[in-house]
Amino acid sequence: MILLKNGRINQDNKLIKKDILIDEGKIVKIADEIKGEGIDLKGGYIVPGLTDIHVHFRSPGFEAKETILTGSKAAAKGGFTTVLTMPNLNPVPDCLEHLAVEEELIKKEAVIEVLPYASVTVGEKSTKVSDIDHLRSHTRFYSDDGVGFSNYDVLDEALANIAKYDLFIASHAEDKILRYAPAGEYEAVRREIEHARMNHVAYHFCHMSTKESFDAIRAAQKEGLQITCEVTPHHLFLNEKDIKNPNFKMNPPLRSKENQQETLKALLDGTACCIATDHAPHTLEEKSQEYDKCPNGIIGLETSAPLVYTNLVKTGIATLSQFEGRNPFQG
Ligand code: DOR
């Protein structure tokens, strides 16, 4: 039994002081006061376990940046109980044998629930579809994040499988010529919405950051297409004027103030279904290089919930219930 004393929980969008009794991982009692020895939370906010559908834990392959142990500990510290890990790894989880390497590490190291994305294409190279037929019994989640799609015939072939087996695809939409420019994102978004339409498939966009992308997604949703997207804390709370140093270099990059405002608007009007951190650590050496040389990616798991709480809930922009959201994969 674990007794949590003097915590606060969300009741009708107000934080109310409660004690909580937990037995074998299940909440068995919530009351104003439960007698007994417990952990004093000193008024701390007890949040239902949060889910982040977009993190990079770097293992297998890039353990100098992060491991499943360090990443999942950071997630737990930030209030997350479930995270989905992106497949830009070595080996890329594009077949069962490769996925098994990551699954083994998750079994050994994860301190919370860690669900792996498999890649959509072999090696995330857009030339051949991954072995979805076999992978699907191990994961519902598919992405070529960090790279994006450059061959739309291969994407169509993948989407036929995604639709047939009712799987989840998350796209890093980036035009290969326009790259990091705003149009690099929204041109790819517009194109990929057409592929989702043609293939009658639900389609999710990662880390959206431009007005035009949100407009395209909003219009597709109005038409009844099953298009969803996520936004990141950094695109919600920062813009290109705020900061320019290697620790804040990421892809997509920070955008204009107008795009920042559109990101918040998309979250509040439901165009974006969730906040996802895109937690993407690199080594100190890599991030100590000058701006143009250092790799894209910043961390976010430990700061996401506090940032959202401070900037959106405390200011009255969002309610506690909006903040707590719900696990999109639990119906
Ligand atoms: O900033 C980023 N870093 N964006 C991505 O899409 C990939 C990620 C990484 O893997 O480092």
Side-chain angles (χ1 to χ4, degrees):
M1 294 259 203
I2 301 174
L3 177 57
L4 302 178
K5 306 270 296 177
N6 303 316
R8 288 184 303 157
I9 64 169
N10 170 18
Q11 233 174 29
D12 301 325
N13 283 316
K14 282 191 199 72
L15 286 180
I16 308 292
K17 195 193 132 323
K18 295 281 177 191
D19 291 350
I20 297 184
L21 189 64
I22 298 163
D23 187 18
E24 291 185 9
K26 288 217 161 64
I27 293 175
V28 290
K29 191 172 178 190
I30 302 179
D32 292 346
E33 198 183 344
I34 303 173
K35 295 252 177 298
E37 280 283 300
I39 303 166
D40 185 3
L41 296 182
K42 300 189 174 112
Y45 175 12
I46 301 173
V47 188
L50 301 170
T51 296
D52 188 344
I53 68 168
H54 188 146
V55 305
H56 297 265
F57 279 177
R58 309 302 196 197
S59 187
F62 307 96
E63 285 78 5
K65 298 173 193 269
E66 183 83 289
T67 63
I68 298 200
L69 178 66
T70 59
S72 64
K73 277 186 166 176
K77 190 158 184 210
F80 294 93
T81 49
T82 302
V83 298
L84 275 64
T85 51
M86 283 298 175
N88 49 347
L89 302 166
N90 187 15
V92 173
D94 49 19
C95 62
L96 272 188
E97 191 191 339
H98 289 170
L99 179 65
V101 183
E102 188 184 354
E103 287 176 326
E104 201 49 42
L105 291 162
I106 290 171
K107 222 186 277 163
K108 268 200 220 129
E109 297 181 25
V111 302
I112 56 158
E113 182 175 46
V114 175
L115 304 172
Y117 278 94
S119 65
V120 178
T121 65
V122 173
E124 294 197 307
K125 289 194 187 332
S126 269
T127 49
K128 190 170 179 268
V129 178
S130 298
D131 186 11
I132 295 176
D133 264 338
H134 290 102
L135 286 163
R136 72 191 169 90
S137 60
H138 284 236
T139 182
R140 282 193 63 213
F141 309 114
Y142 294 82
S143 183
D144 274 6
D145 184 70
V147 184
F149 304 115
S150 50
N151 182 329
Y152 285 92
D153 292 335
V154 176
L155 177 62
D156 283 338
E157 200 188 320
L159 290 182
N161 277 314
I162 299 281
K164 184 158 109 198
Y165 300 127
D166 192 24
L167 304 171
F168 180 83
I169 183 166
S171 164
H172 171 121
E174 180 182 313
D175 181 273
K176 289 299 152 234
I177 295 165
L178 299 168
R179 301 279 341 246
Y180 306 147
E185 178 183 288
Y186 64 72
E187 291 295 349
V189 167
R190 289 173 181 164
R191 215 158 40 219
E192 289 177 25
I193 287 173
E194 294 315 308
H195 286 265
R197 182 203 305 281
M198 276 177 344
N199 288 285
H200 308 285
V201 69
Y203 202 88
H204 178 81
F205 288 102
C206 301
H207 42 54
M208 286 290 96
S209 64
T210 70
K211 175 181 190 307
E212 291 82 354
S213 300
F214 294 122
D215 286 346
I217 292 166
R218 202 175 275 120
Q221 291 170 344
K222 274 220 178 88
E223 264 186 71
L225 300 185
Q226 283 183 277
I227 306 289
T228 53
C229 72
E230 72 202 26
V231 293
T232 69
H234 41 278
H235 294 115
L236 280 171
F237 303 128
L238 294 169
N239 66 62
E240 63 195 358
K241 289 263 157 48
D242 289 327
I243 243 152
K244 188 153 177 145
N245 81 42
N247 281 329
F248 295 86
K249 182 178 171 187
M250 76 293 283
N251 180 27
L254 296 178
R255 304 289 191 191
S256 65
K257 180 125 203 225
E258 192 204 357
N259 280 321
Q260 182 192 357
Q261 287 162 345
E262 290 290 327
T263 304
L264 180 59
K265 181 175 145 196
L267 179 69
L268 295 176
D269 75 9
T271 307
C273 65
C274 61
I275 297 171
T277 60
D278 195 5
H279 176 88
H282 295 284
T283 65
L284 187 59
E285 291 69 35
E286 287 167 321
K287 279 301 208 182
S288 303
Q289 299 173 94
E290 59 192 76
Y291 190 85
D292 289 340
K293 290 208 182 112
C294 85
N296 286 310
I298 62 163
I299 56 173
L301 280 167
E302 288 166 76
T303 46
S304 178
L307 277 172
V308 175
Y309 181 77
T310 303
N311 287 288
L312 299 186
V313 180
K314 272 190 135 176
T315 51
I317 295 170
T319 63
L320 282 168
S321 296
Q322 281 174 308
F323 170 73
E324 292 179 356
R326 68 187 179 92
N327 184 334
F329 305 112
Q330 285 172 352

